[in-house]
Amino acid sequence: MSTHTIVAPASGPGPAGVSIIRLSGPACAAVGMALLGGLPPPRQARLVRVLDPDGAPIDRALALFFKAPHSFTGEDVLELHVHGGPAVVRDTLAACLAVEGVRLAEPGAFSRRAFQNGKMDLTAAEGLADLVEAETAAQRKQALRQMEGALAGEVERWRETIIDSLADAEGDIDFPDEDLPPGLSLRARERIAALRASLTGFLDDSRRAERVRSGFQVVIIGRPNAGKSSLINQLAQRDAAIVSAKPGTTRDIVDVRVVLGGMVVLVSDTAGLRTSQDEIEAEGIRRARQRALDADLRLGLLTHEDERAEFADLMRPGDVWLLGQADRIAWPAAGSDEIVISSVTRQGLVQLEELIATRAQQDAARSEAPPLTRLRHQEAVREAVSALDRALNAPAEAAELVAEDLRLAARSLGRITGRVDIEDVLDRLFSQFCIGK
């Protein structure tokens, strides 16, 4: 438990009907006595008068008290639900800070105390941060599952499998001459191989979680002056990219974040694909081709049928050809992988938006397994896979090496939930939270 008490607004800034002032720590009782004349019974809301240090009233508010360890942080927690005017919030905070032992909370301080007091693991804390930042239903669902322990439960099952295998390996080390059941090493290797395959599958699927958090990546490719920038402005419903009749205007990648069908989509406008002697434009074309290769969906924008061959090497099965500038080009009937569009008349734009949203939703729903949402999760799993590979490739008689690699694998996975070696990630993680959380 901490020796000092922290306080901060737990609700958004600005005037509001209600603002929540949250305190956590041993001085909650003193704050209750100084500001309210006493604490309400635990877990019961009481209407109270909030007083300043001189005994003058600040506000009439609701007070809630949570006795340790039955609170979000595991400490005594006091919440004051005051009216949301700036003066009320300011003066209530000042009255709390006038009590000895109370100080302002830094970003993430409440959640960090919850972690340190065993109320949540690191994956739950990260899920909470993602839930606060969620813009779409898909992000909310993913964050809520992680906050409620879906990923932590999976990681713990992985660790238990390694520990079981480690017990088998150490049996060969500690009791080589004992009459133990045959096949201990074989049984351990079978578990290790199955776990390695499972971890590799999670790594292969990790981009799905990144797409839910950061956006399903769509890239528009085509020749200069095909209308890529006009199209991205239509999708964004604002002037996100410069539109000019001069070829080669777009030289770097322009990313626009939009929400389609409840999914975050990152649409990229790229340099027109052509042969260029201009060093800067050529670099933009190289980046455009690389971004196209990395994208989840490519939109090939055409102004003439002959242009397909120029960048067909970038298109993949399931990608879409856009037959552009339909307001002045008479295209034939579109095929199954084609959409006739015009940024001037908005012909085909609704169809295109629905297609992108459907693809993003299908991608997000591809697996029900709890995803690896953070780069640090993926790095830890990769380290565990490498250790398991070494264990599988060790000589049959080298039980000591197998056991050591299994310990390293378990340790790598333990870092995901915060069981081991977590000090280096705590500051970075909780500094990303808003103040009051």
Side-chain angles (χ1 to χ4, degrees), residues 355-378:
L355 181 143
I356 295 173
T358 299
R359 295 288 181 83
Q361 291 163 355
Q362 290 172 343
D363 184 78
R366 190 175 300 165
S367 172
E368 289 300 318
L372 305 173
T373 58
R374 302 290 177 111
L375 180 60
R376 74 173 193 89
H377 304 164
Q378 298 163 30

Side-chain angles (χ1 to χ4, degrees), residues 93-427:
L93 279 173
C96 292
L97 292 168
V99 176
E100 186 177 356
V102 180
R103 72 180 192 186
L104 280 174
E106 297 177 350
F110 292 93
S111 297
R112 182 164 185 162
R113 290 193 175 193
F115 167 76
Q116 291 172 330
N117 293 327
K119 304 297 285 189
M120 64 171 64
D121 63 67
L122 284 185
T123 62
E126 289 165 331
L128 175 58
D130 289 344
L131 188 62
V132 171
E133 298 293 332
E135 300 176 84
T136 69
Q139 290 175 328
R140 172 183 58 78
K141 291 175 182 177
Q142 178 172 286
L144 185 61
R145 286 189 68 205
Q146 182 166 322
M147 189 184 75
E148 292 181 338
L151 178 56
E154 193 70 40
V155 171
E156 189 56 30
R157 283 188 287 273
W158 295 339
R159 290 184 72 254
E160 288 176 357
T161 298
I162 294 175
I163 291 170
D164 288 343
S165 302
L166 182 57
D168 286 347
E170 290 184 333
D172 287 343
I173 298 170
D174 296 336
F175 309 103
D177 300 324
E178 296 291 330
D179 186 19
L180 295 174
L184 281 176
S185 296
L186 176 61
R187 189 163 67 238
R189 285 176 180 274
E190 289 175 347
R191 289 201 201 98
I192 295 168
L195 177 59
R196 186 207 177 281
S198 177
L199 294 180
T200 302
F202 269 78
L203 282 174
D204 291 341
D205 201 36
S206 61
R207 282 201 66 198
R208 176 180 60 87
E210 293 179 18
R211 289 191 288 266
V212 172
R213 291 184 69 237
S214 60
F216 182 78
Q217 295 188 358
V218 178
V219 171
I220 306 172
I221 55 177
R223 287 185 56 78
N225 278 17
K228 299 185 298 300
S229 298
S230 297
L231 175 57
I232 202 170
N233 287 344
Q234 286 290 338
L235 293 172
Q237 299 184 11
R238 61 184 176 88
D239 292 334
I242 298 174
V243 177
S244 171
K246 181 180 179 181
T249 299
T250 301
R251 296 191 171 198
D252 205 349
I253 297 171
V254 177
D255 293 323
V256 174
R257 187 179 174 93
V258 298
V259 176
L260 299 176
M263 300 296 298
V264 174
V265 177
L266 190 68
V267 186
S268 299
D269 180 21
T270 60
L273 302 181
R274 65 174 178 176
T275 301
S276 176
Q277 301 302 316
D278 184 285
E279 181 179 351
I280 298 177
E281 185 181 1
E283 174 61 19
I285 293 170
R286 185 196 67 78
R287 294 185 183 186
R289 296 184 69 86
Q290 185 59 53
R291 177 62 66 88
L293 292 173
D294 295 338
D296 302 308
L297 175 66
R298 285 147 289 274
L299 306 176
L301 183 55
L302 305 175
T303 56
H304 194 279
E305 185 63 31
D306 294 342
E307 295 171 2
R308 287 182 193 261
E310 297 182 21
F311 44 93
D313 61 309
L314 297 175
M315 302 291 281
R316 299 290 182 267
D319 290 344
V320 179
W321 293 101
L322 303 180
L323 311 182
Q325 302 183 17
D327 53 291
R328 65 181 188 84
I329 299 176
W331 290 100
S336 60
D337 62 346
E338 299 174 338
I339 298 177
V340 179
I341 67 164
S342 168
S343 296
V344 175
T345 65
R346 288 190 58 83
Q347 177 182 347
L349 263 294
V350 172
Q351 182 183 355
L352 176 59
E353 290 173 348
E354 291 176 348
L355 181 143
I356 295 173
T358 299
R359 295 288 181 83
Q361 291 163 355
Q362 290 172 343
D363 184 78
R366 190 175 300 165
S367 172
E368 289 300 318
L372 305 173
T373 58
R374 302 290 177 111
L375 180 60
R376 74 173 193 89
H377 304 164
Q378 298 163 30
E379 291 174 345
V381 171
R382 288 190 186 96
E383 291 178 9
V385 169
S386 295
L388 295 179
D389 281 338
R390 292 193 299 271
L392 288 170
N393 294 323
E397 65 276 9
E400 294 89 348
L401 296 179
V402 172
E404 179 59 23
D405 284 323
L406 291 179
R407 291 189 194 95
L408 291 174
R411 190 176 186 86
S412 295
L413 295 177
R415 288 202 298 271
I416 296 178
T417 55
R419 283 178 171 268
V420 293
D421 294 346
I422 46 80
E423 287 301 325
D424 57 337
V425 302
L426 289 183
D427 290 338

